[in-house]
mmCIF file with all atom_site columns, all heavy atoms in Angstrom:
data_model
loop_
_atom_site.group_PDB
_atom_site.id
_atom_site.type_symbol
_atom_site.label_atom_id
_atom_site.label_alt_id
_atom_site.label_comp_id
_atom_site.label_asym_id
_atom_site.label_entity_id
_atom_site.label_seq_id
_atom_site.pdbx_PDB_ins_code
_atom_site.Cartn_x
_atom_site.Cartn_y
_atom_site.Cartn_z
_atom_site.occupancy
_atom_site.B_iso_or_equiv
_atom_site.pdbx_formal_charge
_atom_site.auth_seq_id
_atom_site.auth_comp_id
_atom_site.auth_asym_id
_atom_site.auth_atom_id
_atom_site.pdbx_PDB_model_num
ATOM 1   N N   . PHE A 1 119 ? 60.329 63.171 243.778 1.00 98.00 ? 119 PHE A N   1
ATOM 2   C CA  . PHE A 1 119 ? 59.712 63.671 244.988 1.00 98.00 ? 119 PHE A CA  1
ATOM 3   C C   . PHE A 1 119 ? 60.744 64.013 246.078 1.00 98.00 ? 119 PHE A C   1
ATOM 4   O O   . PHE A 1 119 ? 60.738 65.103 246.623 1.00 98.00 ? 119 PHE A O   1
ATOM 5   C CB  . PHE A 1 119 ? 58.692 62.667 245.530 1.00 98.00 ? 119 PHE A CB  1
ATOM 6   C CG  . PHE A 1 119 ? 57.479 62.545 244.661 1.00 98.00 ? 119 PHE A CG  1
ATOM 7   C CD1 . PHE A 1 119 ? 57.382 61.538 243.705 1.00 98.00 ? 119 PHE A CD1 1
ATOM 8   C CD2 . PHE A 1 119 ? 56.435 63.444 244.776 1.00 98.00 ? 119 PHE A CD2 1
ATOM 9   C CE1 . PHE A 1 119 ? 56.258 61.436 242.887 1.00 98.00 ? 119 PHE A CE1 1
ATOM 10  C CE2 . PHE A 1 119 ? 55.313 63.349 243.960 1.00 98.00 ? 119 PHE A CE2 1
ATOM 11  C CZ  . PHE A 1 119 ? 55.231 62.342 243.010 1.00 98.00 ? 119 PHE A CZ  1
ATOM 12  N N   . HIS A 1 120 ? 61.612 63.045 246.388 1.00 98.00 ? 120 HIS A N   1
ATOM 13  C CA  . HIS A 1 120 ? 62.611 63.301 247.448 1.00 98.00 ? 120 HIS A CA  1
ATOM 14  C C   . HIS A 1 120 ? 63.736 62.257 247.369 1.00 98.00 ? 120 HIS A C   1
ATOM 15  O O   . HIS A 1 120 ? 63.445 61.067 247.143 1.00 98.00 ? 120 HIS A O   1
ATOM 16  C CB  . HIS A 1 120 ? 61.953 63.241 248.829 1.00 98.00 ? 120 HIS A CB  1
ATOM 17  C CG  . HIS A 1 120 ? 62.781 63.900 249.896 1.00 98.00 ? 120 HIS A CG  1
ATOM 18  N ND1 . HIS A 1 120 ? 63.821 63.266 250.513 1.00 98.00 ? 120 HIS A ND1 1
ATOM 19  C CD2 . HIS A 1 120 ? 62.736 65.130 250.418 1.00 98.00 ? 120 HIS A CD2 1
ATOM 20  C CE1 . HIS A 1 120 ? 64.381 64.099 251.394 1.00 98.00 ? 120 HIS A CE1 1
ATOM 21  N NE2 . HIS A 1 120 ? 63.726 65.237 251.351 1.00 98.00 ? 120 HIS A NE2 1
ATOM 22  N N   . PRO A 1 121 ? 64.982 62.673 247.599 1.00 97.00 ? 121 PRO A N   1
ATOM 23  C CA  . PRO A 1 121 ? 66.092 61.719 247.526 1.00 97.00 ? 121 PRO A CA  1
ATOM 24  C C   . PRO A 1 121 ? 66.046 60.632 248.596 1.00 97.00 ? 121 PRO A C   1
ATOM 25  O O   . PRO A 1 121 ? 66.694 59.590 248.425 1.00 97.00 ? 121 PRO A O   1
ATOM 26  C CB  . PRO A 1 121 ? 67.353 62.599 247.715 1.00 97.00 ? 121 PRO A CB  1
ATOM 27  C CG  . PRO A 1 121 ? 66.873 63.912 248.184 1.00 97.00 ? 121 PRO A CG  1
ATOM 28  C CD  . PRO A 1 121 ? 65.438 64.061 247.772 1.00 97.00 ? 121 PRO A CD  1
ATOM 29  N N   . ASN A 1 122 ? 65.294 60.836 249.668 1.00 98.00 ? 122 ASN A N   1
ATOM 30  C CA  . ASN A 1 122 ? 65.214 59.814 250.718 1.00 98.00 ? 122 ASN A CA  1
ATOM 31  C C   . ASN A 1 122 ? 64.120 58.775 250.429 1.00 98.00 ? 122 ASN A C   1
ATOM 32  O O   . ASN A 1 122 ? 63.771 58.007 251.323 1.00 98.00 ? 122 ASN A O   1
ATOM 33  C CB  . ASN A 1 122 ? 64.939 60.442 252.082 1.00 98.00 ? 122 ASN A CB  1
ATOM 34  C CG  . ASN A 1 122 ? 66.193 60.986 252.717 1.00 98.00 ? 122 ASN A CG  1
ATOM 35  O OD1 . ASN A 1 122 ? 66.981 61.643 252.030 1.00 98.00 ? 122 ASN A OD1 1
ATOM 36  N ND2 . ASN A 1 122 ? 66.380 60.739 253.987 1.00 98.00 ? 122 ASN A ND2 1
ATOM 37  N N   . LEU A 1 123 ? 63.625 58.768 249.218 1.00 98.00 ? 123 LEU A N   1
ATOM 38  C CA  . LEU A 1 123 ? 62.612 57.785 248.846 1.00 98.00 ? 123 LEU A CA  1
ATOM 39  C C   . LEU A 1 123 ? 63.236 56.703 247.995 1.00 98.00 ? 123 LEU A C   1
ATOM 40  O O   . LEU A 1 123 ? 64.033 56.984 247.091 1.00 98.00 ? 123 LEU A O   1
ATOM 41  C CB  . LEU A 1 123 ? 61.505 58.456 248.032 1.00 98.00 ? 123 LEU A CB  1
ATOM 42  C CG  . LEU A 1 123 ? 60.320 59.050 248.792 1.00 98.00 ? 123 LEU A CG  1
ATOM 43  C CD1 . LEU A 1 123 ? 59.500 59.926 247.846 1.00 98.00 ? 123 LEU A CD1 1
ATOM 44  C CD2 . LEU A 1 123 ? 59.442 57.945 249.360 1.00 98.00 ? 123 LEU A CD2 1
ATOM 45  N N   . ILE A 1 124 ? 62.877 55.448 248.282 1.00 98.00 ? 124 ILE A N   1
ATOM 46  C CA  . ILE A 1 124 ? 63.305 54.346 247.447 1.00 98.00 ? 124 ILE A CA  1
ATOM 47  C C   . ILE A 1 124 ? 62.069 53.637 246.894 1.00 98.00 ? 124 ILE A C   1
ATOM 48  O O   . ILE A 1 124 ? 61.049 53.527 247.592 1.00 98.00 ? 124 ILE A O   1
ATOM 49  C CB  . ILE A 1 124 ? 64.198 53.353 248.249 1.00 98.00 ? 124 ILE A CB  1
ATOM 50  C CG1 . ILE A 1 124 ? 64.737 52.263 247.333 1.00 98.00 ? 124 ILE A CG1 1
ATOM 51  C CG2 . ILE A 1 124 ? 63.437 52.747 249.414 1.00 98.00 ? 124 ILE A CG2 1
ATOM 52  C CD1 . ILE A 1 124 ? 65.780 51.381 248.008 1.00 98.00 ? 124 ILE A CD1 1
ATOM 53  N N   . GLY A 1 125 ? 62.147 53.231 245.630 1.00 98.00 ? 125 GLY A N   1
ATOM 54  C CA  . GLY A 1 125 ? 61.033 52.517 245.009 1.00 98.00 ? 125 GLY A CA  1
ATOM 55  C C   . GLY A 1 125 ? 61.343 51.027 245.014 1.00 98.00 ? 125 GLY A C   1
ATOM 56  O O   . GLY A 1 125 ? 62.420 50.589 244.608 1.00 98.00 ? 125 GLY A O   1
ATOM 57  N N   . VAL A 1 126 ? 60.380 50.228 245.476 1.00 98.00 ? 126 VAL A N   1
ATOM 58  C CA  . VAL A 1 126 ? 60.574 48.778 245.527 1.00 98.00 ? 126 VAL A CA  1
ATOM 59  C C   . VAL A 1 126 ? 59.345 48.087 244.957 1.00 98.00 ? 126 VAL A C   1
ATOM 60  O O   . VAL A 1 126 ? 58.245 48.649 244.919 1.00 98.00 ? 126 VAL A O   1
ATOM 61  C CB  . VAL A 1 126 ? 60.845 48.282 246.969 1.00 98.00 ? 126 VAL A CB  1
ATOM 62  C CG1 . VAL A 1 126 ? 61.999 49.034 247.607 1.00 98.00 ? 126 VAL A CG1 1
ATOM 63  C CG2 . VAL A 1 126 ? 59.602 48.410 247.842 1.00 98.00 ? 126 VAL A CG2 1
ATOM 64  N N   . THR A 1 127 ? 59.527 46.884 244.498 1.00 98.00 ? 127 THR A N   1
ATOM 65  C CA  . THR A 1 127 ? 58.411 46.079 244.036 1.00 98.00 ? 127 THR A CA  1
ATOM 66  C C   . THR A 1 127 ? 58.813 44.602 244.072 1.00 98.00 ? 127 THR A C   1
ATOM 67  O O   . THR A 1 127 ? 59.862 44.264 244.601 1.00 98.00 ? 127 THR A O   1
ATOM 68  C CB  . THR A 1 127 ? 57.947 46.517 242.623 1.00 98.00 ? 127 THR A CB  1
ATOM 69  O OG1 . THR A 1 127 ? 56.707 45.900 242.321 1.00 98.00 ? 127 THR A OG1 1
ATOM 70  C CG2 . THR A 1 127 ? 58.976 46.184 241.554 1.00 98.00 ? 127 THR A CG2 1
ATOM 71  N N   . GLY A 1 128 ? 57.947 43.754 243.556 1.00 98.00 ? 128 GLY A N   1
ATOM 72  C CA  . GLY A 1 128 ? 58.239 42.320 243.592 1.00 98.00 ? 128 GLY A CA  1
ATOM 73  C C   . GLY A 1 128 ? 57.292 41.574 242.675 1.00 98.00 ? 128 GLY A C   1
ATOM 74  O O   . GLY A 1 128 ? 56.593 42.187 241.849 1.00 98.00 ? 128 GLY A O   1
ATOM 75  N N   . THR A 1 129 ? 57.280 40.286 242.797 1.00 97.00 ? 129 THR A N   1
ATOM 76  C CA  . THR A 1 129 ? 56.339 39.491 242.020 1.00 97.00 ? 129 THR A CA  1
ATOM 77  C C   . THR A 1 129 ? 54.934 39.696 242.571 1.00 97.00 ? 129 THR A C   1
ATOM 78  O O   . THR A 1 129 ? 54.768 40.202 243.686 1.00 97.00 ? 129 THR A O   1
ATOM 79  C CB  . THR A 1 129 ? 56.672 37.997 242.112 1.00 97.00 ? 129 THR A CB  1
ATOM 80  O OG1 . THR A 1 129 ? 56.479 37.570 243.465 1.00 97.00 ? 129 THR A OG1 1
ATOM 81  C CG2 . THR A 1 129 ? 58.119 37.713 241.690 1.00 97.00 ? 129 THR A CG2 1
ATOM 82  N N   . ALA A 1 130 ? 53.947 39.298 241.797 1.00 97.00 ? 130 ALA A N   1
ATOM 83  C CA  . ALA A 1 130 ? 52.577 39.419 242.252 1.00 97.00 ? 130 ALA A CA  1
ATOM 84  C C   . ALA A 1 130 ? 52.368 38.697 243.584 1.00 97.00 ? 130 ALA A C   1
ATOM 85  O O   . ALA A 1 130 ? 51.698 39.215 244.482 1.00 97.00 ? 130 ALA A O   1
ATOM 86  C CB  . ALA A 1 130 ? 51.630 38.848 241.183 1.00 97.00 ? 130 ALA A CB  1
ATOM 87  N N   . ALA A 1 131 ? 52.997 37.550 243.724 1.00 97.00 ? 131 ALA A N   1
ATOM 88  C CA  . ALA A 1 131 ? 52.812 36.771 244.967 1.00 97.00 ? 131 ALA A CA  1
ATOM 89  C C   . ALA A 1 131 ? 53.491 37.484 246.142 1.00 97.00 ? 131 ALA A C   1
ATOM 90  O O   . ALA A 1 131 ? 52.936 37.537 247.244 1.00 97.00 ? 131 ALA A O   1
ATOM 91  C CB  . ALA A 1 131 ? 53.402 35.378 244.772 1.00 97.00 ? 131 ALA A CB  1
ATOM 92  N N   . GLU A 1 132 ? 54.686 38.017 245.916 1.00 98.00 ? 132 GLU A N   1
ATOM 93  C CA  . GLU A 1 132 ? 55.411 38.712 246.973 1.00 98.00 ? 132 GLU A CA  1
ATOM 94  C C   . GLU A 1 132 ? 54.634 39.957 247.423 1.00 98.00 ? 132 GLU A C   1
ATOM 95  O O   . GLU A 1 132 ? 54.522 40.239 248.621 1.00 98.00 ? 132 GLU A O   1
ATOM 96  C CB  . GLU A 1 132 ? 56.803 39.143 246.484 1.00 98.00 ? 132 GLU A CB  1
ATOM 97  C CG  . GLU A 1 132 ? 57.771 37.987 246.346 1.00 98.00 ? 132 GLU A CG  1
ATOM 98  C CD  . GLU A 1 132 ? 59.025 38.365 245.583 1.00 98.00 ? 132 GLU A CD  1
ATOM 99  O OE1 . GLU A 1 132 ? 59.032 39.375 244.840 1.00 98.00 ? 132 GLU A OE1 1
ATOM 100 O OE2 . GLU A 1 132 ? 60.017 37.630 245.709 1.00 98.00 ? 132 GLU A OE2 1
ATOM 101 N N   . LEU A 1 133 ? 54.106 40.691 246.446 1.00 98.00 ? 133 LEU A N   1
ATOM 102 C CA  . LEU A 1 133 ? 53.342 41.900 246.762 1.00 98.00 ? 133 LEU A CA  1
ATOM 103 C C   . LEU A 1 133 ? 52.076 41.584 247.537 1.00 98.00 ? 133 LEU A C   1
ATOM 104 O O   . LEU A 1 133 ? 51.719 42.304 248.486 1.00 98.00 ? 133 LEU A O   1
ATOM 105 C CB  . LEU A 1 133 ? 53.016 42.671 245.485 1.00 98.00 ? 133 LEU A CB  1
ATOM 106 C CG  . LEU A 1 133 ? 54.230 43.308 244.813 1.00 98.00 ? 133 LEU A CG  1
ATOM 107 C CD1 . LEU A 1 133 ? 53.888 43.765 243.401 1.00 98.00 ? 133 LEU A CD1 1
ATOM 108 C CD2 . LEU A 1 133 ? 54.765 44.476 245.646 1.00 98.00 ? 133 LEU A CD2 1
ATOM 109 N N   . ALA A 1 134 ? 51.418 40.501 247.168 1.00 97.00 ? 134 ALA A N   1
ATOM 110 C CA  . ALA A 1 134 ? 50.197 40.113 247.852 1.00 97.00 ? 134 ALA A CA  1
ATOM 111 C C   . ALA A 1 134 ? 50.484 39.802 249.313 1.00 97.00 ? 134 ALA A C   1
ATOM 112 O O   . ALA A 1 134 ? 49.700 40.152 250.211 1.00 97.00 ? 134 ALA A O   1
ATOM 113 C CB  . ALA A 1 134 ? 49.572 38.911 247.159 1.00 97.00 ? 134 ALA A CB  1
ATOM 114 N N   . GLU A 1 135 ? 51.632 39.183 249.550 1.00 97.00 ? 135 GLU A N   1
ATOM 115 C CA  . GLU A 1 135 ? 52.023 38.833 250.899 1.00 97.00 ? 135 GLU A CA  1
ATOM 116 C C   . GLU A 1 135 ? 52.300 40.067 251.760 1.00 97.00 ? 135 GLU A C   1
ATOM 117 O O   . GLU A 1 135 ? 51.846 40.196 252.886 1.00 97.00 ? 135 GLU A O   1
ATOM 118 C CB  . GLU A 1 135 ? 53.277 37.957 250.830 1.00 97.00 ? 135 GLU A CB  1
ATOM 119 C CG  . GLU A 1 135 ? 53.469 37.028 251.986 1.00 97.00 ? 135 GLU A CG  1
ATOM 120 C CD  . GLU A 1 135 ? 54.624 36.047 251.695 1.00 97.00 ? 135 GLU A CD  1
ATOM 121 O OE1 . GLU A 1 135 ? 54.559 35.369 250.670 1.00 97.00 ? 135 GLU A OE1 1
ATOM 122 O OE2 . GLU A 1 135 ? 55.538 36.015 252.500 1.00 97.00 ? 135 GLU A OE2 1
ATOM 123 N N   . VAL A 1 136 ? 53.041 41.017 251.178 1.00 98.00 ? 136 VAL A N   1
ATOM 124 C CA  . VAL A 1 136 ? 53.373 42.254 251.897 1.00 98.00 ? 136 VAL A CA  1
ATOM 125 C C   . VAL A 1 136 ? 52.106 43.080 252.158 1.00 98.00 ? 136 VAL A C   1
ATOM 126 O O   . VAL A 1 136 ? 51.885 43.607 253.243 1.00 98.00 ? 136 VAL A O   1
ATOM 127 C CB  . VAL A 1 136 ? 54.411 43.094 251.122 1.00 98.00 ? 136 VAL A CB  1
ATOM 128 C CG1 . VAL A 1 136 ? 54.687 44.397 251.853 1.00 98.00 ? 136 VAL A CG1 1
ATOM 129 C CG2 . VAL A 1 136 ? 55.689 42.308 250.922 1.00 98.00 ? 136 VAL A CG2 1
ATOM 130 N N   . ALA A 1 137 ? 51.250 43.159 251.147 1.00 97.00 ? 137 ALA A N   1
ATOM 131 C CA  . ALA A 1 137 ? 50.007 43.913 251.273 1.00 97.00 ? 137 ALA A CA  1
ATOM 132 C C   . ALA A 1 137 ? 49.140 43.328 252.392 1.00 97.00 ? 137 ALA A C   1
ATOM 133 O O   . ALA A 1 137 ? 48.548 44.056 253.176 1.00 97.00 ? 137 ALA A O   1
ATOM 134 C CB  . ALA A 1 137 ? 49.256 43.910 249.963 1.00 97.00 ? 137 ALA A CB  1
ATOM 135 N N   . ALA A 1 138 ? 49.110 42.009 252.462 1.00 97.00 ? 138 ALA A N   1
ATOM 136 C CA  . ALA A 1 138 ? 48.308 41.354 253.498 1.00 97.00 ? 138 ALA A CA  1
ATOM 137 C C   . ALA A 1 138 ? 48.840 41.693 254.887 1.00 97.00 ? 138 ALA A C   1
ATOM 138 O O   . ALA A 1 138 ? 48.071 41.908 255.832 1.00 97.00 ? 138 ALA A O   1
ATOM 139 C CB  . ALA A 1 138 ? 48.304 39.835 253.273 1.00 97.00 ? 138 ALA A CB  1
ATOM 140 N N   . LEU A 1 139 ? 50.156 41.777 255.006 1.00 97.00 ? 139 LEU A N   1
ATOM 141 C CA  . LEU A 1 139 ? 50.779 42.120 256.300 1.00 97.00 ? 139 LEU A CA  1
ATOM 142 C C   . LEU A 1 139 ? 50.262 43.470 256.799 1.00 97.00 ? 139 LEU A C   1
ATOM 143 O O   . LEU A 1 139 ? 50.031 43.664 257.991 1.00 97.00 ? 139 LEU A O   1
ATOM 144 C CB  . LEU A 1 139 ? 52.295 42.229 256.156 1.00 97.00 ? 139 LEU A CB  1
ATOM 145 C CG  . LEU A 1 139 ? 53.168 40.990 256.300 1.00 97.00 ? 139 LEU A CG  1
ATOM 146 C CD1 . LEU A 1 139 ? 54.631 41.379 256.108 1.00 97.00 ? 139 LEU A CD1 1
ATOM 147 C CD2 . LEU A 1 139 ? 52.947 40.337 257.642 1.00 97.00 ? 139 LEU A CD2 1
ATOM 148 N N   . TYR A 1 140 ? 50.104 44.411 255.869 1.00 97.00 ? 140 TYR A N   1
ATOM 149 C CA  . TYR A 1 140 ? 49.759 45.771 256.224 1.00 97.00 ? 140 TYR A CA  1
ATOM 150 C C   . TYR A 1 140 ? 48.272 46.098 256.048 1.00 97.00 ? 140 TYR A C   1
ATOM 151 O O   . TYR A 1 140 ? 47.851 47.221 256.241 1.00 97.00 ? 140 TYR A O   1
ATOM 152 C CB  . TYR A 1 140 ? 50.653 46.774 255.461 1.00 97.00 ? 140 TYR A CB  1
ATOM 153 C CG  . TYR A 1 140 ? 52.039 46.807 256.058 1.00 97.00 ? 140 TYR A CG  1
ATOM 154 C CD1 . TYR A 1 140 ? 52.979 45.852 255.697 1.00 97.00 ? 140 TYR A CD1 1
ATOM 155 C CD2 . TYR A 1 140 ? 52.377 47.724 257.048 1.00 97.00 ? 140 TYR A CD2 1
ATOM 156 C CE1 . TYR A 1 140 ? 54.231 45.832 256.288 1.00 97.00 ? 140 TYR A CE1 1
ATOM 157 C CE2 . TYR A 1 140 ? 53.628 47.730 257.632 1.00 97.00 ? 140 TYR A CE2 1
ATOM 158 C CZ  . TYR A 1 140 ? 54.556 46.775 257.248 1.00 97.00 ? 140 TYR A CZ  1
ATOM 159 O OH  . TYR A 1 140 ? 55.789 46.754 257.843 1.00 97.00 ? 140 TYR A OH  1
ATOM 160 N N   . GLY A 1 141 ? 47.512 45.095 255.645 1.00 96.00 ? 141 GLY A N   1
ATOM 161 C CA  . GLY A 1 141 ? 46.095 45.316 255.422 1.00 96.00 ? 141 GLY A CA  1
ATOM 162 C C   . GLY A 1 141 ? 45.814 46.174 254.206 1.00 96.00 ? 141 GLY A C   1
ATOM 163 O O   . GLY A 1 141 ? 44.786 46.840 254.115 1.00 96.00 ? 141 GLY A O   1
ATOM 164 N N   . VAL A 1 142 ? 46.753 46.174 253.259 1.00 97.00 ? 142 VAL A N   1
ATOM 165 C CA  . VAL A 1 142 ? 46.611 46.965 252.027 1.00 97.00 ? 142 VAL A CA  1
ATOM 166 C C   . VAL A 1 142 ? 45.804 46.168 250.995 1.00 97.00 ? 142 VAL A C   1
ATOM 167 O O   . VAL A 1 142 ? 46.070 44.981 250.794 1.00 97.00 ? 142 VAL A O   1
ATOM 168 C CB  . VAL A 1 142 ? 48.000 47.317 251.436 1.00 97.00 ? 142 VAL A CB  1
ATOM 169 C CG1 . VAL A 1 142 ? 47.878 47.844 250.018 1.00 97.00 ? 142 VAL A CG1 1
ATOM 170 C CG2 . VAL A 1 142 ? 48.680 48.338 252.341 1.00 97.00 ? 142 VAL A CG2 1
#
Side-chain angles (χ1 to χ4, degrees):
F119 291 96
H120 198 278
N122 279 44
L123 271 167
I124 184 171
V126 306
T127 190
T129 65
E132 288 168 340
L133 290 167
E135 205 170 305
V136 177
L139 274 180
Y140 285 83
V142 167

